[in-house]
Amino acid sequence: MQERKRGRFIVLEGIDGCGKSTQIERLAERLRAEGREVAVTAEPTDSASGKMLRAALSGADRRGPCEMAALFLLDRIYHNVSENGIEAMLAKGIDVICDRYYYSSLAYQGSETDFAWVRDMNLACPEIRRPDLCLFLDVEPRVSLARIAASRTSTEIYEKEELLEKFRARFLEVFAMLKETDRVAVVDASRDVDEVAEAVYRAVKENAEI
């Protein structure tokens, strides 16, 4: 009996308003058209910890950066090991596309509290899998904020230009730090949606053929 081939674990990252949701949908459609089974997931999850994070991100429940970092860690472990989590889907041969992962913790919470602590608890956790590929949709904060303003009426706690400038810079630092262990493709997301989608798909074909 032929052994089932594992799915691919692909993460899309970027500052708020970079276009992740649209590009994840496009990528999933493209891979399904190839005959692959694809699951789309996101962090925070719908778990108890994920609901606490969503309340904090909306500004409804104020929490400090250490609390946020710890909650994201808890949610990420659940995301990996739960019954229908990342590990279970990959083992079934399903490609998993995830909206945000530990790179966001390193960039966001790692900019607001002790970076080494946030880095170590995520990267050293045995139940947090490294992705096969991380796609970073790179866009300047002024562009991302304009997109947010055009698409919805409410904002989250991190959606301020000076903060997004800081987080974008930290993302790039994180990718440089992880260049020996993580496969990352930076995509210019300031272009037309179709151009970005083509670049994303090309990066997957070049970097995540497992």
Side-chain angles (χ1 to χ4, degrees), residues 165-181:
E165 288 280 6
K166 180 171 68 173
F167 298 148
R168 178 178 180 240
R170 181 51 65 91
F171 265 122
L172 297 175
E173 291 172 7
V174 166
F175 297 142
M177 179 189 75
L178 297 177
K179 65 181 180 180
E180 301 298 329
T181 57

Side-chain angles (χ1 to χ4, degrees), residues 1-208:
M1 184 176 177
Q2 187 175 7
E3 184 179 354
R4 184 194 297 270
K5 189 175 181 181
R6 285 186 67 84
R8 299 176 293 189
F9 181 27
I10 301 167
V11 170
L12 269 77
E13 285 281 13
I15 62 172
D16 299 68
C18 67
K20 286 187 284 74
S21 298
T22 299
Q23 294 305 327
I24 286 170
E25 182 180 340
R26 292 286 192 94
L27 178 59
E29 288 176 359
R30 196 90 177 253
L31 295 179
R32 287 173 182 138
E34 293 180 351
R36 300 189 71 98
E37 191 172 356
V38 180
V40 172
T41 187
E43 293 186 355
T45 70
D46 292 327
S47 70
S49 53
K51 290 173 182 175
M52 286 189 282
L53 282 164
R54 291 185 189 281
L57 290 168
S58 71
D61 186 10
R62 187 175 177 84
R63 292 183 182 272
C66 286
E67 284 183 285
M68 294 291 285
L71 281 171
F72 270 115
L73 179 74
L74 180 64
D75 193 48
R76 190 161 296 127
I77 293 170
Y78 169 85
H79 198 187
N80 273 271
V81 304
S82 62
E83 184 179 358
N84 297 306
I86 293 166
E87 282 294 335
M89 289 188 286
L90 293 175
K92 293 176 183 176
I94 301 169
D95 288 343
V96 177
I97 305 176
C98 185
D99 184 341
R100 296 203 181 281
Y101 201 53
Y102 56 66
Y103 309 97
S104 282
S105 286
L106 272 62
Y108 283 66
Q109 287 74 52
S111 295
E112 298 196 315
T113 187
D114 186 80
F115 177 80
W117 174 66
V118 178
R119 177 197 64 202
D120 292 348
M121 70 177 180
N122 277 277
L123 300 184
C125 179
E127 292 190 330
I128 293 180
R129 151 177 293 275
R130 289 183 185 261
D132 295 300
L133 175 65
C134 171
L135 292 153
F136 179 66
L137 303 186
D138 191 25
V139 65
E140 292 186 7
R142 59 179 178 80
V143 175
S144 70
L145 289 171
R147 291 176 178 176
I148 291 170
S151 63
R152 50 188 166 90
T153 57
S154 62
T155 58
E156 292 187 344
I157 59 173
Y158 296 128
E159 293 172 352
K160 299 177 178 64
E161 187 167 359
E162 64 276 12
L163 287 177
L164 294 180
E165 288 280 6
K166 180 171 68 173
F167 298 148
R168 178 178 180 240
R170 181 51 65 91
F171 265 122
L172 297 175
E173 291 172 7
V174 166
F175 297 142
M177 179 189 75
L178 297 177
K179 65 181 180 180
E180 301 298 329
T181 57
D182 289 41
R183 186 175 294 171
V184 178
V186 177
V187 176
D188 178 2
S190 64
R191 297 172 290 176
D192 175 80
V193 170
D194 291 336
E195 290 182 276
V196 177
E198 187 60 36
V200 165
Y201 180 70
R202 187 167 59 249
V204 170
K205 299 301 287 184
E206 291 173 353
N207 295 288

